[in-house]
Amino acid sequence: LEPDALTTIEDLSSRAVTVGGILFFLCELFRGAVMQFDPETTTTAEVVFQAIIPLSAAHGCAYAKIMNGGRSRSPDMMASHAWGNRFVHLVAAVVAHAAGHKLFYDFLPRLQSLSTTLRFTAELGQEVLKKTVWLCIFGVNQHVSICSCHTHKHLNGSPLCEMDKFDRMIFHLRSRLGDKFRQVVALGTRGVALSRAWVVAEIAACLELGIPQSVIIRFPVGLDGEGLRQAVDGLDVRKCEASREEDRLNILAGIPDKDVYNDSVRSLLASSIEEPNRHDRVIFLGPQALFAMTLVVAMLIWMRSHRSEMPDRLVFAGWFTIGGAMLLNPCLRFLYYYKFMCQAMVSADRLGLCRELLAQVPKGPFWSVPVLWLYRKMAQLAGNVPHRMRHLAEGMAFSGIVFFSASGAIMLHCGERRWGMKLAVLLGCLGMLLIFIAAPIYLPKRHSQSITVLMILVVL
């Protein structure tokens, strides 16, 4: 490489920013002095063109230099992302990784306003706030690349171009920092980043060098719809996109075996975004098991038609097994979703953020719609008062116990009468529902699981 190119790479690699600096920048966006910022809709690209470029226009340099006061700063990690995703999602993913989390859903409610972001920043430890990350939006001098100003532009092939040296910068950081440097891939709900050419190039360079890689997503894949899973399964580097066609062609030329790359990235993403627990395996293997049992029953029916001594009850048992499997799979999906939602609310209730959390929780299976609706109503009653949701759950559980006890008393004294039996069943079902809804919110995890099992047994 030419000396000017080496200088450019060295300069690029020293433009990391701290997690605390990113949160401070987000607070400035909320103050509205630069742009109209809406955490629900504003994308990273809009932040670049409406905030970062105007704020750095007077200096004509990368915004990271302004954030760092002109000092050089090496990164602990490099965040790969898509500019089309929401900016708050990018910030939440970076903070989540710095705090040691693989999901960023519970960070989003705390980044929805100036007051909550300031409070959240004050609660984060210095160990998290001081971690450094390299982000292209801050690390690249936008005035010599994409800005429409009159500054002289350095395009691909120029020793001073900063847009075509990300992969070489990664090589440089790896040789200088060793295993301390890692890559973080911030994925949105649809996995758009996987189709961007520069993200492809960064992932390829890190795979080649054996750099530790992490994938940060919003919700578990089992709850966040099929968009992310389809993006991973349908990943093909040949279909990647870029703002400039020359960038896409140069990146593809640097990947000799596209199929090997696709398999490697799919394996990386699958191991990072799938939670290796038995509940997920049962849920996702359910359809295959159901298909296998259907074949077994078909074989039994065929044998029954050819051998009259085949007992009818054996065929009935096969049909009963299929019916149970068909019911078991959606039940497991619902319990998986229900467990996740309750755990998320318990942590959000400590901060009084249940309403904000439930506003972004995916709908989940059909059976979860009434439960999610009830939790949202409870969150509205609780407002933004910490631990209020827990107190409401305690009241609901007490009411459930009263209804359940009244059901037993009516059944003992008036069970012989039709109205008495109907009233007892109604009060009993209502009591069990209230306990089932409220128990996971205010009881310890092991106790709530016991209550759930007990309620299922009572219903059976």
Side-chain angles (χ1 to χ4, degrees), residues 7-219:
T7 303
T8 302
I9 293 171
E10 178 69 31
D11 193 18
L12 263 179
S13 63
S14 64
R15 296 178 189 170
V17 296
T18 63
V19 173
I22 296 174
L23 290 171
F24 178 79
F25 175 75
L26 179 61
C27 291
E28 293 300 309
L29 295 180
F30 278 122
R31 289 189 173 95
V34 183
M35 63 176 291
Q36 294 296 321
F37 181 75
D38 183 359
E40 296 296 328
T41 59
T42 303
T43 64
T44 302
E46 291 172 338
V47 170
V48 171
F49 285 102
Q50 298 179 35
I52 293 177
I53 290 178
L55 288 172
S56 58
H59 300 81
C61 64
Y63 193 66
K65 289 190 174 182
I66 300 174
M67 296 175 70
N68 297 331
R71 297 186 299 273
S72 298
R73 184 168 273 142
S74 297
D76 298 320
M77 54 184 165
M78 174 183 188
S80 302
H81 60 100
W83 284 27
N85 289 336
R86 280 187 250 172
F87 181 69
V88 169
H89 283 197
L90 172 61
V91 177
V94 170
V95 177
H97 178 75
H101 293 249
K102 289 187 176 181
L103 306 173
F104 64 84
Y105 71 91
D106 51 345
F107 290 88
L108 287 176
R110 315 194 67 182
L111 301 173
Q112 297 298 308
S113 67
L114 176 60
S115 58
T116 57
T117 304
L118 287 172
R119 193 183 310 122
F120 179 48
T121 304
E123 293 171 0
L124 285 173
Q126 289 298 312
E127 182 181 357
V128 174
L129 294 176
K130 289 183 178 180
K131 288 186 177 180
T132 54
V133 56
W134 195 93
L135 280 166
C136 59
I137 59 174
F138 298 125
V140 172
N141 184 355
Q142 311 294 347
H143 300 282
V144 297
S145 54
I146 63 172
C147 179
S148 58
C149 61
H150 298 292
T151 305
H152 179 69
K153 304 297 184 287
H154 301 291
L155 303 179
N156 289 19
S158 168
L160 300 179
C161 177
E162 299 179 353
M163 297 291 291
D164 62 349
K165 294 180 176 59
F166 292 168
D167 51 348
R168 293 176 183 146
M169 182 193 72
I170 292 173
F171 279 88
H172 176 72
L173 289 171
R174 173 65 168 176
S175 62
R176 195 177 73 185
L177 302 176
D179 292 336
K180 295 180 181 179
F181 177 68
R182 63 185 307 117
Q183 183 195 27
V184 180
V185 182
L187 294 184
T189 56
R190 297 292 176 184
V192 178
L194 300 178
S195 65
R196 302 305 299 172
W198 280 116
V199 175
V200 166
E202 293 161 7
I203 293 176
C206 292
L207 282 172
E208 181 179 351
L209 295 173
I211 294 175
Q213 296 169 296
S214 301
V215 180
I216 309 298
I217 58 178
R218 187 176 66 159
F219 286 106

Side-chain angles (χ1 to χ4, degrees), residues 240-252:
C240 67
E241 303 172 351
S243 301
R244 298 187 299 177
E245 180 65 14
E246 57 185 306
D247 289 342
R248 190 183 75 86
L249 295 176
N250 289 337
I251 290 168
L252 290 178

Side-chain angles (χ1 to χ4, degrees), residues 181-405:
F181 177 68
R182 63 185 307 117
Q183 183 195 27
V184 180
V185 182
L187 294 184
T189 56
R190 297 292 176 184
V192 178
L194 300 178
S195 65
R196 302 305 299 172
W198 280 116
V199 175
V200 166
E202 293 161 7
I203 293 176
C206 292
L207 282 172
E208 181 179 351
L209 295 173
I211 294 175
Q213 296 169 296
S214 301
V215 180
I216 309 298
I217 58 178
R218 187 176 66 159
F219 286 106
V221 177
L223 302 181
D224 214 7
E226 296 298 325
L228 186 55
R229 186 184 303 279
Q230 290 174 357
V232 173
D233 294 339
L235 176 69
D236 189 349
V237 66
R238 303 175 187 87
K239 299 178 182 178
C240 67
E241 303 172 351
S243 301
R244 298 187 299 177
E245 180 65 14
E246 57 185 306
D247 289 342
R248 190 183 75 86
L249 295 176
N250 289 337
I251 290 168
L252 290 178
I255 303 177
D257 194 329
K258 276 69 171 180
D259 293 327
V260 171
Y261 171 85
N262 290 337
D263 293 338
S264 300
V265 175
R266 286 195 199 102
S267 176
L268 164 70
L269 295 171
S271 62
S272 299
I273 65 180
E274 298 288 358
E275 293 185 348
N277 60 61
R278 61 182 183 276
H279 298 94
D280 286 354
R281 287 197 291 269
V282 170
I283 288 172
F284 298 127
L285 290 177
Q288 290 85 344
L290 182 61
F291 178 72
M293 283 187 285
T294 304
L295 290 180
V296 171
V297 172
M299 183 182 68
L300 290 175
I301 294 174
W302 181 84
M303 293 173 64
R304 176 70 179 84
S305 63
H306 287 74
R307 298 181 182 179
S308 57
E309 65 273 11
M310 175 70 69
D312 290 338
R313 59 179 177 272
L314 188 59
V315 178
F316 174 77
W319 282 115
F320 183 79
T321 304
I322 288 182
M326 293 178 66
L327 183 62
L328 179 64
N329 195 255
C331 285
L332 287 173
R333 285 183 179 274
F334 169 71
L335 291 175
Y336 174 64
Y337 174 83
Y338 179 66
K339 170 188 172 185
F340 168 81
M341 188 168 57
C342 290
Q343 289 177 347
M345 278 198 304
V346 168
S347 61
D349 185 45
R350 300 191 187 103
L351 306 166
L353 294 172
C354 285
R355 185 167 54 186
E356 289 79 2
L357 174 71
L358 290 172
Q360 57 164 325
V361 170
K363 292 182 179 180
F366 174 76
W367 289 8
S368 64
V369 174
V371 178
L372 183 58
W373 177 85
L374 181 58
Y375 279 142
R376 281 178 175 162
K377 293 299 181 184
M378 290 174 62
Q380 290 176 2
L381 291 174
N384 290 327
V385 180
H387 304 292
R388 179 72 64 81
M389 193 82 163
R390 181 175 181 270
H391 297 327
L392 287 174
E394 289 175 349
M396 287 180 61
F398 178 76
S399 302
I401 294 172
V402 171
F403 288 151
F404 201 72
S405 302

